[in-house]
Amino acid sequence: MPIRQFQAQRIHAPREFKAIPEQALCVEIGAGKGKHALLFSQANPSQHLVAIERTREKFLAMKKQHELNPCDNLNPVHADAIAWMVHALYPAQVQQLFILYPNPEPHNPAQRWLNMPFFEFLLSRMAPNASITLASNIPEYISEAQQQLDTVWQLPYRLEKIATDSARTHFEVKYLARDELCQQLVVTKPEGYQTRFDDFMPLQGKVTQPNEATTTA
């Protein structure tokens, strides 16, 4: 399906937004109660992970787990992921991105991540050879994402069946316990891949007017 251009310059900053350093990061969108975020941070002490969760109840649960199991390389963030990324992230900053079992948006397919104009902006934040891991228990969701990767975004990926003993998120544990097929796409951003947002700097809490945008047509 055709993708219109994302209007990054019109996105308002999340409440209580705080800027972050321009350093290599990993990011998880929709981190829930933080099970994967904690596991990843503990297993990868040299990598800094920002775990974003919009729902207050889930964020507070993640924050509590982080306080009980502190990791200096984990930064839980309570915000809308799109707004936070537009205001916080620099071009080519993200080394790994995780979108694990997102809302399938059954009544609004345009809100699925690879169908959204925002996905082009997200790609501009990824470093060359960085990876995006998208997991789902819905075969149709994965199939549609594959089609978008092939026809719209033209990105290489591999499709993987998730092992039955995997336990990265609470959803993953639940789905696998029900013998559901869980799959993931591991997408790579190749060297030289270009977007219209490659020179767009983080808004840092400021919203510009459309004619001030650094994007190109």
Side-chain angles (χ1 to χ4, degrees):
M1 63 180 65
I3 305 290
R4 68 185 186 278
Q5 184 169 344
F6 177 62
Q7 299 297 313
Q9 72 280 1
R10 298 184 180 181
I11 301 296
H12 290 272
R15 183 179 299 178
E16 301 178 358
F17 171 77
K18 295 180 180 178
I20 62 172
E22 187 177 0
Q23 64 183 53
L25 291 176
C26 299
V27 175
E28 181 173 1
I29 294 176
K33 297 180 181 180
K35 183 177 176 64
H36 172 263
L38 286 166
L39 290 172
F40 179 88
S41 299
Q42 291 166 353
N44 300 275
S46 65
Q47 300 188 56
H48 190 96
L49 175 67
V50 175
I52 310 170
E53 175 53 45
R54 182 174 59 183
T55 305
R56 179 174 175 80
E57 181 181 357
K58 292 180 179 178
F59 169 77
L60 290 176
M62 172 167 58
K63 183 180 178 182
K64 182 177 180 179
Q65 288 302 311
H66 185 220
E67 291 169 349
L68 294 173
N69 303 276
C71 293
D72 292 339
N73 60 326
L74 173 59
N75 180 20
V77 171
H78 182 212
D80 174 82
I82 292 176
W84 187 86
M85 295 177 81
V86 167
H87 283 265
L89 293 183
Y90 290 83
Q93 185 177 14
V94 180
Q95 306 296 313
Q96 293 187 70
L97 180 83
F98 300 95
I99 310 175
L100 305 180
Y101 304 96
N103 184 339
E105 302 287 354
H107 304 298
N108 193 2
Q111 292 298 309
R112 297 170 188 162
W113 287 103
L114 273 72
N115 296 346
M116 297 170 64
F118 171 72
F119 194 73
E120 181 182 4
F121 182 90
L122 187 155
L123 290 172
S124 76
R125 307 300 97 173
M126 306 299 296
N129 300 312
S131 66
I132 300 173
T133 301
L134 173 67
S136 179
N137 64 317
I138 303 173
E140 294 79 11
Y141 190 101
I142 293 292
S143 296
E144 181 186 72
Q146 287 181 273
Q147 182 178 8
Q148 293 296 87
L149 289 168
D150 289 334
T151 62
V152 177
W153 306 114
Q154 299 179 3
L155 287 166
Y157 62 88
R158 65 181 186 271
L159 173 63
E160 299 175 345
K161 179 181 177 181
I162 295 170
T164 56
D165 61 350
S166 185
R168 294 175 298 182
T169 78
H170 294 93
F171 282 125
E172 188 164 83
V173 172
K174 178 174 70 174
Y175 298 146
L176 291 172
R178 299 196 305 219
D179 292 326
E180 295 185 23
L181 173 64
C182 292
Q183 301 175 94
Q184 64 184 21
L185 295 170
V186 181
V187 185
T188 302
K189 179 183 176 180
E191 294 272 357
Y193 189 92
Q194 296 182 335
T195 80
R196 292 171 288 187
F197 298 94
D198 290 346
D199 297 322
F200 188 102
M201 299 302 288
L203 292 180
Q204 303 285 344
K206 174 187 175 184
V207 176
T208 65
Q209 297 301 316
N211 60 0
E212 296 180 52
T214 57
T215 56
T216 56

